[in-house]
Amino acid sequence: VQSQALGFYELSSGTFEDFRFEHYKTSERSIARQHMRSNMTRTLYLNDAGFNGMAFIAVCLQEGHETLMQFKNCQLVKQFLKTKKRSAVIEIKLTKTRLINYPDHQHFLGKRIKIRLIRTRGTSRLKSQVLITTLCDEALFTWQELTKLYRQRYSVELAFRHLKTAIGIEKIRKRNLQRIEQLLFAAIVLYNLSAALRNRIKR
């Protein structure tokens, strides 16, 4: 049986807030949408660049949540970078092309959504990046704060590295899916326990 394991990581606590299994062909955006529908608390989702799509952002807003992610290279990004601005709020119209992967959301056709583009600071090693977010209030959510927050997303990569190296979740020799699930959930519990202890010691 081929499946993929998905972790929803809580940045404020440094633990996995949710962990589930899906069919390996299930798209990441579908998994995120499913999580949003079951999440009753208004949440800011920090997504991977692969989640790009104005339709996904519209769905996120419809579910009562916010999003922040890196914006892939496109004409809109190039135009924004030319302005030299750090932050800009723009309105986007949802077209057939933007809804191509959302057959169940064709009623969004022609809908206008307000989004915000943010240009991060570049370094000698890393070029300036463009982030896209639904947090459009520039006074309440400064570009510096959102840039810093998005950098925290790297802690997710560190968490998975810890699971792979210290706990060894990539070296499972079981073949039965139920036993694989038991091992993975035990690894997540162990990781969350260690993170909770670390947070307690820090405090």
Side-chain angles (χ1 to χ4, degrees):
V1 178
Q2 289 183 307
S3 64
Q4 59 173 328
L6 288 303
F8 287 84
Y9 191 78
E10 174 63 61
L11 282 182
S12 61
S13 63
T15 58
F16 285 92
E17 176 266 334
D18 188 16
F19 198 78
R20 60 181 66 178
F21 285 85
E22 293 287 345
H23 191 275
Y24 77 103
K25 286 186 178 178
T26 308
S27 65
E28 288 184 344
R29 63 176 174 268
S30 297
I31 295 160
R33 284 166 55 194
Q34 182 186 345
H35 189 273
M36 286 174 181
R37 281 195 297 268
S38 62
N39 183 8
M40 296 296 107
T41 306
R42 188 180 178 209
T43 302
L44 173 63
Y45 284 83
L46 271 67
N47 300 312
D48 183 68
F51 282 75
N52 262 345
M54 296 303 169
F56 175 79
I57 292 172
V59 169
C60 184
L61 289 170
Q62 183 190 40
E63 298 296 341
H65 300 296
E66 308 289 348
T67 187
L68 172 65
M69 58 185 160
Q70 187 182 348
F71 201 21
K72 280 184 176 178
N73 191 26
C74 70
Q75 195 60 36
L76 196 59
V77 170
K78 290 173 184 174
Q79 289 172 358
F80 174 63
L81 288 173
K82 284 179 183 177
T83 66
K84 304 292 183 184
K85 291 181 181 177
R86 286 289 178 194
S87 175
V89 177
I90 58 174
E91 201 174 67
I92 298 292
K93 184 179 178 181
L94 296 181
T95 60
K96 282 185 179 180
T97 306
R98 288 181 167 134
L99 292 167
I100 200 163
N101 292 318
Y102 295 81
D104 53 335
H105 285 83
Q106 292 305 304
H107 58 283
F108 278 178
L109 186 62
K111 181 181 174 71
R112 292 183 178 274
I113 58 170
K114 195 179 284 186
I115 54 105
R116 180 179 168 198
L117 300 179
I118 295 168
R119 183 166 60 93
T120 67
R121 280 198 181 97
T123 65
S124 56
R125 292 185 179 182
L126 187 66
K127 283 184 179 179
S128 181
Q129 295 177 320
V130 175
L131 306 179
I132 185 169
T133 184
T134 53
L135 299 173
C136 295
D137 191 329
E138 295 176 302
L140 190 59
F141 307 103
T142 66
W143 70 267
Q144 295 99 325
E145 287 174 321
L146 292 180
T147 298
K148 185 180 177 182
L149 182 60
Y150 191 77
R151 277 203 307 267
Q152 283 184 266
R153 190 185 161 277
Y154 185 65
S155 61
V156 179
E157 309 299 335
L158 297 178
F160 276 107
R161 187 181 71 178
H162 183 77
L163 287 173
K164 290 174 183 179
T165 55
I167 301 179
I169 62 168
E170 287 187 318
K171 297 175 183 177
I172 297 173
R173 294 178 182 174
K174 305 292 182 185
R175 291 181 179 271
N176 183 289
L177 182 60
Q178 186 181 3
R179 292 188 177 184
I180 293 170
E181 287 180 357
Q182 288 171 345
L183 282 167
L184 286 173
F185 277 112
I188 294 300
V189 169
L190 184 61
Y191 176 86
N192 281 351
L193 180 62
S194 65
L197 288 170
R198 180 192 63 218
N199 294 343
R200 188 67 179 264
I201 291 166
K202 278 184 178 179
R203 282 201 300 271

